[in-house]
Amino acid sequence: QPALTQPASVSASLGQSITISCTGNSRDIEAYDYVSWYRQHPGEAPTLILFDVNKRPSGISDRFSGSKSGDTASLTISGLLVEDEAVYHCSSFSGGKTDVLFGAGTKLTVL
Amino acid sequence: QDELQESGPGLVKASETLSLTCSVSSASVRSHFWSWLRQTPGKGLEWIAYINDVDRTNYNPSLNGRASVSKDTSKNQIFLTLTSLTTTDTAVYYCARGSPVRWLYFDSWGPGMLVTVSS
């Protein structure tokens, strides 16, 4: 069972915005600002799109933004494009037994 | 972006040992943290271990000591050994580079390699 909880799937229309949540607990997301998000297209490796909750690596569109409140982190994608249809994974540092935790991933469908 | 490529057997038997190699180009394994991760349909991504620039290693305790990571700087390769395999070790295995910002942000990945453990 993944340590971080994400919705299994979400959907939104082309051009709209969508927010994906990622819930942990007091030992991971709530305790540290070390949250990251990855996008994964079918058959490909994940790509880092956000780190330190809301920072974008070079080359990542500013349509991707992140936030955190308590034990829940969120990824918001604005101006949805067809290419945004993918699985999105959240990750967090943890002060528990395992240093790095992941969610099970959220499949985004762009209608 | 660095280029990473995993290689090894695609099929192994339960109770045996898996050995994977990650060949890195456009970067030196003498620098950065290098991790192995795996992905299964039900459990999502799972971090397995890292080795850093000074050969310090760190492992996910959920693997119960079955994993070992090492590197060969002359060949610019990273290695993963996983012992006492069971069918639950069936997964796509990735090697990845840790970001200079923080090792737990993986900013370059290999394409992944499917490993099936047969009973």
Side-chain angles (χ1 to χ4, degrees):
Chain A
Q1 198 80 345
L4 305 179
T5 301
Q6 298 181 238
S9 63
V10 295
S11 62
S13 299
L14 209 58
Q16 292 193 329
S17 297
I18 189 77
T19 296
I20 299 172
S21 62
C22 173
T23 301
N25 60 40
S26 60
R27 291 172 297 180
D28 41 69
I29 292 178
E30 185 168 8
Y32 304 97
D33 287 337
Y34 300 153
V35 176
S36 56
W37 290 88
Y38 298 83
R39 178 169 74 172
Q40 185 177 29
H41 289 118
E44 297 182 3
T47 298
L48 180 67
I49 57 173
L50 289 176
F51 64 94
D52 284 354
V53 177
N54 57 12
K55 296 176 182 173
R56 289 184 304 275
S58 173
I60 298 300
S61 170
D62 60 5
R63 296 186 301 106
F64 295 92
S65 61
S67 62
K68 190 188 88 165
S69 177
D71 64 1
T72 298
S74 298
L75 164 69
T76 298
I77 311 172
S78 60
L80 281 169
L81 304 174
V82 171
E83 68 202 48
D84 294 329
E85 188 161 289
V87 175
Y88 291 83
H89 305 272
C90 64
S91 179
S92 175
F93 179 77
S94 172
K97 291 169 63 175
T98 304
D99 288 354
V100 184
L101 304 176
F102 286 91
T106 298
K107 178 171 172 50
L108 168 62
T109 300
V110 179
L111 304 172
Chain B
Q1 203 170 15
D2 304 327
E3 291 187 11
L4 295 80
Q5 180 68 56
E6 303 88 354
S7 60
L11 180 65
V12 288
K13 293 182 179 178
S15 80
E16 293 186 342
T17 294
L18 172 66
S19 294
L20 294 177
T21 298
C22 175
S23 299
V24 181
S25 58
S26 304
S28 171
V29 301
R30 289 189 178 92
S31 303
H32 305 294
F33 285 59
W34 302 90
S35 280
W36 286 94
L37 303 96
R38 65 184 182 180
Q39 184 173 27
T40 57
K43 289 183 63 178
L45 289 163
E46 180 181 31
W47 171 75
I48 298 171
Y50 74 58
I51 184 166
N52 72 2
D53 53 340
V54 292
D55 287 351
R56 178 177 178 267
T57 56
N58 186 21
Y59 297 94
N60 187 330
S62 71
L63 292 162
N64 298 314
R66 297 188 298 121
S68 177
V69 62
S70 60
K71 65 182 177 181
D72 183 333
T73 55
S74 68
K75 295 182 179 180
N76 220 38
Q77 293 176 325
I78 310 291
F79 308 104
L80 172 69
T81 300
L82 189 61
T83 62
S84 304
L85 293 170
T86 70
T87 55
T88 60
D89 292 312
T90 293
V92 175
Y93 286 77
Y94 295 98
C95 59
R97 190 191 81 161
S99 160
V101 173
R102 248 170 277 284
W103 71 263
L104 55 99
Y105 302 141
F106 309 109
D107 62 1
S108 290
W109 296 65
M113 175 165 186
L114 174 62
V115 175
T116 301
V117 180
S118 66
S119 57

